[in-house]
Amino acid sequence: RVEYSEGENERYTLPMSVAAGEAAEKVLRDHPEAVLARLEFGDQSWALLHSALFERSFSDALLTAVLKRSKFKGSHGELVAGHTKAFREAWKHVRSNREPQVQSFDSSNTFVNMGEDFVLKLYREVAVGINPDRELEEFLTEKTNFSQVPRALGWIEYCRQDDEEMQRTTLGMVTSYVRNATRGWEYMLDHLGL
């Protein structure tokens, strides 16, 4: 949560993990840009606080949570994962090893390709409510035959009881992977020759 002296506060998500020993060495070797801090302890041991996005176990855990419609209780609320009807069909046709690959383009969201089957879209800045992007993609997937966008397959949200009302905050989505696709913005710039 970011609080300003003037204006509204903002909330951001930052999936983090801790690695020690050989796992920490692997992070330093393969993804040094993912390291946030080196944690040093009194017994001379150390660990790394780093982005979880590059870890296979993180993407597998999120995908499994979506598959099983899992809930994880916390001290103030719970993480809830779920999926659309289209997810089960997509799961039957998995064709890759689902190795995570963080997409490198500049965006207000983080995209992680899970092999050539799924894309995990994590919203960096989040607000209470169902993200309009999620609503639109779910509508196009479940209520229409429109096929010009990736299919909405699942979601992850944070739910918290506040007074009389359940507050839901969309943290991310799982969509279908589309081969040889481009983002609309890049297509437009290319089309205009910019």
Side-chain angles (χ1 to χ4, degrees):
R1 179 179 171 139
V2 178
E3 296 181 7
Y4 299 102
S5 57
E6 294 182 22
E8 292 190 35
N9 298 334
E10 297 174 338
R11 292 185 184 269
Y12 293 88
T13 59
L14 186 60
M16 302 301 296
S17 184
V18 175
E22 288 181 30
E25 296 290 347
K26 184 174 181 350
V27 170
L28 282 173
R29 183 180 61 250
D30 297 346
H31 300 288
E33 72 280 8
V35 177
L36 181 65
R38 179 182 166 116
L39 309 172
E40 297 182 357
F41 305 102
D43 64 357
Q44 304 303 313
S45 64
W46 60 277
L48 294 177
L49 179 64
H50 65 93
S51 170
L53 296 173
F54 296 94
E55 287 190 7
R56 172 69 186 257
S57 60
F58 176 75
S59 59
D60 281 351
L62 289 180
L63 197 58
T64 300
V66 168
L67 172 68
K68 295 182 176 182
R69 295 181 170 158
S70 299
K71 294 181 180 185
F72 305 95
K73 290 196 180 289
S75 57
H76 300 286
E78 63 182 355
L79 278 178
V80 177
H83 60 261
T84 64
K85 294 174 187 171
F87 182 83
R88 294 273 181 197
E89 189 62 29
W91 188 255
K92 289 180 195 175
H93 301 288
V94 170
R95 62 181 176 268
S96 69
N97 66 2
R98 298 185 321 278
E99 191 64 33
Q101 170 102 27
V102 178
Q103 295 181 21
S104 61
F105 57 81
D106 185 29
S107 174
S108 59
N109 302 315
T110 300
F111 295 85
V112 181
N113 291 352
M114 294 187 219
E116 292 188 351
D117 295 295
F118 306 104
V119 176
L120 172 63
K121 180 193 302 187
L122 293 174
Y123 300 107
R124 291 185 190 151
E125 184 177 356
V126 296
V128 173
I130 295 180
N131 188 292
D133 184 41
R134 172 184 162 193
E135 284 185 308
L136 178 62
E137 289 188 42
E138 284 181 3
F139 176 82
L140 293 173
T141 298
E142 295 187 323
K143 306 288 186 197
T144 75
N145 292 325
F146 187 74
S147 62
Q148 304 307 309
V149 295
R151 298 186 50 78
L153 302 176
W155 65 88
I156 301 147
E157 61 186 11
Y158 179 71
C159 299
R160 180 179 180 172
Q161 189 71 36
D162 188 29
D163 296 327
E164 299 292 318
E165 183 180 340
M166 176 64 75
Q167 293 190 344
R168 298 179 183 281
T169 302
T170 303
L171 303 177
M173 289 182 61
V174 174
T175 66
S176 59
Y177 175 88
V178 180
R179 292 181 184 200
N180 303 318
T182 189
R183 295 181 324 135
W185 181 251
E186 292 169 357
Y187 175 81
M188 183 203 60
L189 291 177
D190 186 51
H191 189 70
L192 294 174
L194 301 175

